[in-house]
Amino acid sequence: WLTLLPVETEGFALYKSNFGDAVAFRYGLTPDHMPVKCACTKDFSMEHALSCPKGSFPTIRHNEIRDLFANVQVERDLYPGSNTQIGARLDISACGVWGGRFEKTMFDVRVFSPICKTNSGAIETVYRRHETEKRRNYENRVLEIEGASFCPIVLSTAGGHAPATRVLVNRLSNLLSANLDLPHLSLTPIRHLL
């Protein structure tokens, strides 16, 4: 956000108070004007704001990432299966990402805050843990019942992303470069890296 033009129609405009808040958030500081209590009645802190579902920050950041990656179908219900919850859904379903034009891939998004106590430890270990949890929850069902491949999209609020997400972003960059006839890296198959 520091390198983008502040185009208001694209949502990139940060006014004085927003800019100060964004800098504070980026460096793990608490802005001056934060409320004392959250909507859930607990004491308000940056850590709590980034993880409290009632305060809506987790939902907002999740949906922003989902919408960034999705141009096909979002929040798609999974077909009923014997080994998982009824009503389970994934965030994105798309064709042509890894293989042929009609080969379907399903994605589920997680955006976590690295300053939360539950995410303490080496950041690469935390990324892997979140990826593993997503795979454990969805991958077998997607492969066996949906007949699709699965890729977790795991990012942190600090701006980093997990290994599978890195591979996905590189793949999407290569596909866009090819479609727009721009210079790009080799389009060798990278699905095996997931």
Side-chain angles (χ1 to χ4, degrees), residues 32-43:
D32 304 345
H33 57 280
M34 300 302 280
V36 177
K37 294 283 186 186
C38 178
C40 72
T41 70
K42 292 185 179 176
D43 289 340

Side-chain angles (χ1 to χ4, degrees), residues 144-175:
E144 294 172 14
I145 297 171
E146 302 287 331
S149 58
F150 175 74
C151 180
I153 298 175
V154 178
L155 301 105
S156 82
T157 57
H161 48 273
T165 306
R166 191 173 307 119
V167 172
L168 172 64
V169 169
N170 286 337
R171 176 66 175 163
L172 294 176
S173 297
N174 287 341
L175 289 172

Side-chain angles (χ1 to χ4, degrees), residues 43-192:
D43 289 340
F44 194 87
S45 69
M46 287 305 304
E47 180 180 337
H48 180 77
L50 293 171
S51 60
C52 176
K54 194 160 193 171
S56 76
F57 283 127
T59 303
I60 291 168
R61 69 179 184 233
H62 172 276
N63 290 348
E64 285 181 355
I65 298 301
R66 180 201 64 197
D67 295 344
L68 172 70
F69 280 92
N71 64 357
V72 181
Q73 185 177 12
V74 296
E75 299 290 343
R76 182 192 175 287
D77 290 332
L78 294 174
Y79 293 115
S82 58
N83 61 346
T84 56
Q85 300 171 342
I86 295 173
R89 68 176 51 191
L90 290 172
D91 295 314
I92 304 166
S93 175
C95 291
V97 175
W98 301 119
R101 184 174 167 194
F102 299 107
E103 184 178 330
K104 184 170 43 174
T105 304
M106 301 183 96
F107 306 89
D108 203 61
V109 176
R110 174 168 294 165
V111 183
F112 70 90
S113 171
I115 64 172
C116 288
K117 291 176 186 157
T118 56
N119 294 317
S120 63
I123 192 69
E124 286 302 319
T125 304
V126 176
Y127 283 128
R128 287 281 186 197
R129 180 171 47 86
H130 286 293
E131 273 189 352
T132 301
E133 189 176 316
K134 286 288 184 189
R135 289 185 191 280
R136 188 174 37 245
N137 289 339
Y138 296 109
E139 191 163 44
N140 283 340
R141 182 175 183 165
V142 168
L143 291 170
E144 294 172 14
I145 297 171
E146 302 287 331
S149 58
F150 175 74
C151 180
I153 298 175
V154 178
L155 301 105
S156 82
T157 57
H161 48 273
T165 306
R166 191 173 307 119
V167 172
L168 172 64
V169 169
N170 286 337
R171 176 66 175 163
L172 294 176
S173 297
N174 287 341
L175 289 172
L176 284 171
S177 295
N179 284 342
L180 299 173
D181 198 27
L182 298 171
H184 59 279
L185 301 173
S186 168
L187 289 176
T188 55
I190 54 177
R191 179 175 22 187
H192 67 279

